[in-house]
Amino acid sequence: LFWISAFALFYAMIGYPLTLIILDKILKKENKKDYSYKPKVSMVISAYNEEKVIEKKLENIIKSDYENLEIIIANDCSDDRTVEICEKFIKNHPEFDIKINTAKDHFGKTNAQDEAVDVARGEIIVFSDANSMFKEDAIKELVSFFTSDDVEYVCGSLIYKKDDQISSVVAENTYWDLELRMREIESKISTIAAGNGAIYACRKKDYRHYNLVSSHDYEMPLYAGLNKKRALFNKDAIAVEKAGATTKDEFKRKVRMQRRILTNIFTNLKRLNVFKYGWFSFFHFNHKTLRFLQAFFHILIFVANIFLIKSGIFYQITMIGQILFYILALLGHLTKSKSKILYFPLYYSLMMLAQIKGAYNEISGKSKATWEKAESTR
C-alpha cells in the first residue's frame, strides 16, 4: 500500500505532466482555428448577488469584438441590487442585445444556466461568471475552435491576477499554470479531461441538463468524451479573475469544487475503458481520477508508514518527512506567513482537506447546488 500510494501521488503530480510533455514533443499536433465561422452567439453570465461586479462585467462584455452577440444575465434569484443595476445598464445601452433571465427559484448556478439556455437564440452558447473579465477577442477565439461537428465544448484560459504579496494567489497561480499547460497538450492530442467555469462554450444543440449539484467544467468534457466527441482548450481565449485572497476563501472554493467527488469517482466507470475511448480514458484517469484520489492516497501512505517504521531507516526518514511537511503547513496556518516554505505545504494540505471535506459533505447530504461566493474573488 505504501509503494502503490507513493507511486500514484508521484505520477499524478509529476509523472503525468512529464508524460504529456513527452507526448507533445513526439506527436506535434495542433488545434485548428476558423475565424470565418461567425454564428450568432448567446453569452450567458451567471449571477447571484453580484452587485459588486455585475456592471463591470457588462461593461467588459460590450467591448467584445464579436458582433453577432446576445447577452443573457442568468439571474439566480438575486436579492441584492444585481437586477436593478442590470436594468439600468440595459436602459443606458439600448444598442446592445442584453436581457435578464431570472430563474424560477434559487436552485443554483447550473439551474440558472439551464433556464437561460432555454431562451437563448444563439447557435453557440458562451458561459461566464460575473467576476471573470474577458479579453476583447475571447469570444471570437472560443468560436474559432468549433471547426467541425465533433467539437462539442471549448474552454478558454482563466488567468488569475498576479499578486506576489498574497500567498494564496501565488500558490494558486503556480498550480494553475501547470494545469493550463496540461490542458493545452491534451487538447492538441485529442480532448481535455476538465474545463473551467469562467470561460467556455458549447453548441446549443449539444447542451445537456446535468444534476444541479454538478458543474459544467467537469460534466461537459466528460460527456463529450463518452460520446466520442472532443472538448478542447484554447489558450488564446482569455478571461481574468481574482483568486481567493484569503486562505479561508480559497479553501471554501476548493471544497465547493469537490462537492461531487465521490460521484465523480464511482460513476460513469466506462470512462476508464481505454480500448473504447482511447486518449480520453487515458487523460481522464490520469488527470481527474488520480487527482480525486490524492487525499485517500495520502491517508494510506501515512498509515502504512506507521506500520513500516521499524522496517528500516528509509521508512523512518519518510515518516519524519511527512510529519515535517504537515508541521510546516500548520505553522503556515498559525503564523499566516507569506513564506513559500510555509505556504506551499499549507496550500497543498488545504487542497487535500478540501477533498476530504467534499467527500464528507456528499456522504452527509450537505453538498448543494447553491453556495456563497468567496468575497475576496470579487
Side-chain angles (χ1 to χ4, degrees):
L1 287 178
F2 177 91
W3 286 107
I4 291 173
S5 299
F7 176 78
L9 289 168
F10 173 83
Y11 183 73
M13 298 303 296
I14 299 174
Y16 179 57
L18 288 176
T19 300
L20 284 178
I21 291 171
I22 293 169
L23 285 170
D24 187 40
K25 298 291 185 184
I26 295 171
L27 298 175
K28 297 179 179 178
K29 290 188 174 184
E30 296 291 338
N31 291 127
K32 296 178 181 178
K33 294 183 181 182
D34 180 6
Y35 291 117
S36 67
Y37 177 53
K38 297 179 180 179
K40 185 171 185 64
V41 168
S42 296
M43 173 83 182
V44 174
I45 302 170
S46 303
Y48 173 65
N49 288 355
E50 297 287 6
E51 63 182 9
K52 290 183 179 180
V53 295
I54 193 63
E55 185 173 8
K56 182 180 178 183
K57 175 66 176 183
L58 291 172
E59 290 281 5
N60 168 249
I61 294 302
I62 65 172
K63 293 176 183 176
S64 169
D65 63 8
Y66 199 89
E67 296 180 356
N68 196 5
L69 177 69
E70 75 166 342
I71 302 168
I72 304 173
I73 298 108
N75 172 40
D76 188 25
C77 299
S78 299
D79 54 18
D80 65 350
R81 294 180 58 245
T82 297
V83 172
E84 177 190 336
I85 293 168
C86 290
E87 288 175 340
K88 182 178 179 181
F89 190 91
I90 293 169
K91 183 178 179 181
N92 292 337
H93 298 81
E95 70 273 26
F96 295 98
D97 184 3
I98 309 172
K99 61 175 68 70
I100 303 167
N101 191 76
T102 298
K104 296 180 178 66
D105 209 333
H106 177 43
F107 288 143
K109 176 180 177 179
T110 302
N111 176 72
Q113 290 172 320
D114 288 346
E115 294 190 27
V117 171
D118 287 343
V119 301
R121 294 179 286 115
E123 180 181 338
I124 299 290
I125 314 293
V126 172
F127 298 89
S128 183
D129 293 327
N131 63 317
S132 304
M133 302 301 153
F134 279 27
K135 284 190 65 176
E136 289 185 5
D137 63 350
I139 296 174
K140 179 180 72 176
E141 285 292 341
L142 286 173
V143 174
S144 75
F145 260 40
F146 287 94
T147 56
S148 62
D149 198 53
D150 72 331
V151 177
E152 186 171 296
Y153 168 94
V154 178
C155 79
S157 181
L158 175 61
I159 306 298
Y160 289 104
K161 289 182 179 178
K162 294 187 181 295
D163 190 337
D164 293 338
Q165 300 303 311
I166 301 176
S167 299
S168 62
V169 176
V170 173
E172 178 66 19
N173 276 325
T174 302
Y175 161 77
W176 193 244
D177 288 346
L178 175 62
E179 179 71 19
L180 294 183
R181 178 63 177 141
M182 291 165 63
R183 292 182 190 185
E184 181 184 3
I185 298 172
E186 290 172 347
S187 178
K188 289 195 291 185
I189 295 173
S190 179
T191 186
I192 59 176
N196 72 70
I199 176 168
Y200 63 102
C202 71
R203 288 188 173 88
K204 182 171 181 177
K205 69 182 181 65
D206 292 325
Y207 186 82
R208 300 179 183 86
H209 287 219
Y210 303 101
N211 183 292
L212 296 185
V213 182
S214 65
S215 58
H216 287 172
D217 51 321
Y218 178 77
E219 302 289 353
M220 283 188 169
L222 171 66
Y223 279 92
L226 293 178
N227 284 281
K228 302 291 187 71
K229 292 196 173 185
R230 302 178 70 197
L232 302 180
F233 168 76
N234 184 350
K235 67 178 182 179
D236 297 322
I238 297 172
V240 179
E241 70 177 46
K242 293 167 62 179
T246 67
T247 300
K248 181 180 179 181
D249 275 354
E250 196 57 29
F251 181 68
K252 282 170 60 178
R253 192 172 71 89
K254 296 294 185 186
V255 171
R256 188 184 79 227
M257 291 166 64
Q258 304 294 339
R259 64 190 182 276
R260 293 251 298 172
I261 185 170
L262 297 178
T263 298
N264 293 342
I265 292 171
F266 295 112
T267 61
N268 285 308
L269 293 179
K270 61 183 178 180
R271 73 186 189 275
L272 304 178
N273 185 349
V274 71
F275 300 104
K276 184 175 182 179
Y277 297 110
W279 284 117
F280 169 72
S281 290
F282 177 74
F283 294 155
H284 203 280
F285 175 75
N286 290 293
H287 197 157
K288 297 305 296 181
T289 306
L290 285 181
R291 292 279 187 93
F292 287 143
L293 292 168
Q294 270 182 270
F296 174 72
F297 286 132
H298 272 291
I299 293 170
L300 276 183
I301 201 171
F302 192 87
V303 173
N305 208 159
I306 293 173
F307 287 99
L308 291 169
I309 201 166
K310 294 181 179 179
S311 299
I313 190 169
F314 174 81
Y315 293 106
Q316 293 167 10
I317 291 172
T318 55
M319 190 77 247
I320 292 170
Q322 289 187 79
I323 293 172
L324 282 175
F325 183 85
Y326 295 126
I327 288 174
L328 289 173
L330 181 60
L331 286 173
H333 175 66
L334 294 175
T335 64
K336 312 298 182 186
S337 172
K338 296 178 181 178
S339 167
K340 292 181 181 181
I341 294 175
L342 297 181
Y343 197 83
F344 275 94
L346 173 60
Y347 181 83
Y348 184 81
S349 298
L350 287 176
M351 287 176 65
M352 298 304 100
L353 286 173
Q355 288 190 342
I356 295 169
K357 176 68 172 173
Y360 170 77
N361 286 348
E362 189 170 7
I363 291 172
S364 61
K366 294 181 180 179
S367 292
K368 54 184 182 179
T370 59
W371 63 80
E372 295 299 320
K373 59 185 176 292
E375 289 296 336
S376 67
T377 63
R378 265 57 184 170

